[in-house]
Amino acid sequence: MEAVIATGGKQYRVTPGQVISVEKLAGERGAAVAFTSVVLVTRDDEVITGAERLRSAKVSGEVVAQTRGKKVEIVKFKRRKNYRRHRGHRQAATTVRITTIEV
């Protein structure tokens, strides 16, 4: 069984037991998390789509870790103008292990 979930402005294709990294979610390590925004479910070669059929669909998981992504460096430079800017950013992320997919 597979599902496509939407969280943090992105979509993820997940299966039970899979570990994914998503935008930061509330919860400590070991806390349960539920994704109710399910876009698609495949079960026994049957593809289930549509808002009516997926109204009660839910993907459950548990928080494995709260981490931060790789550093992105932003450098701006204009020659001969003494203009230099150097910034960095690390996006907060949550690692989640998918436990069940319910339709």
Side-chain angles (χ1 to χ4, degrees):
M1 183 176 273
E2 293 180 336
V4 176
I5 60 171
T7 180
K10 300 175 187 69
Q11 293 181 352
Y12 300 90
R13 183 177 179 182
V14 297
T15 57
Q18 183 179 3
V19 177
I20 60 172
S21 180
V22 298
E23 295 286 326
K24 184 167 176 64
L25 299 171
E28 295 296 319
R29 183 177 183 182
V33 65
F35 301 100
T36 56
S37 179
V38 180
V39 179
L40 177 137
V41 174
T42 59
R43 178 179 54 190
D44 301 327
D45 295 332
E46 175 191 7
V47 178
I48 302 169
T49 59
E52 292 297 319
R53 295 182 70 190
L54 293 174
R55 189 174 307 274
S56 62
K58 182 173 83 169
V59 176
S60 301
E62 69 171 293
V63 175
V64 176
Q66 297 282 4
T67 60
R68 293 175 75 191
K70 291 180 67 174
K71 187 168 197 167
V72 177
E73 293 191 23
I74 300 97
V75 178
K76 298 179 181 180
F77 174 81
K78 293 184 182 177
R79 63 185 187 154
R80 296 189 304 267
K81 306 294 182 193
N82 196 25
Y83 176 82
R84 295 176 186 89
R85 302 289 183 265
H86 188 182
R87 303 250 348 224
H89 176 75
R90 289 184 69 187
Q91 186 70 32
T94 301
T95 305
V96 177
R97 177 176 292 115
I98 303 300
T99 54
T100 61
I101 299 173
E102 302 170 8
V103 180

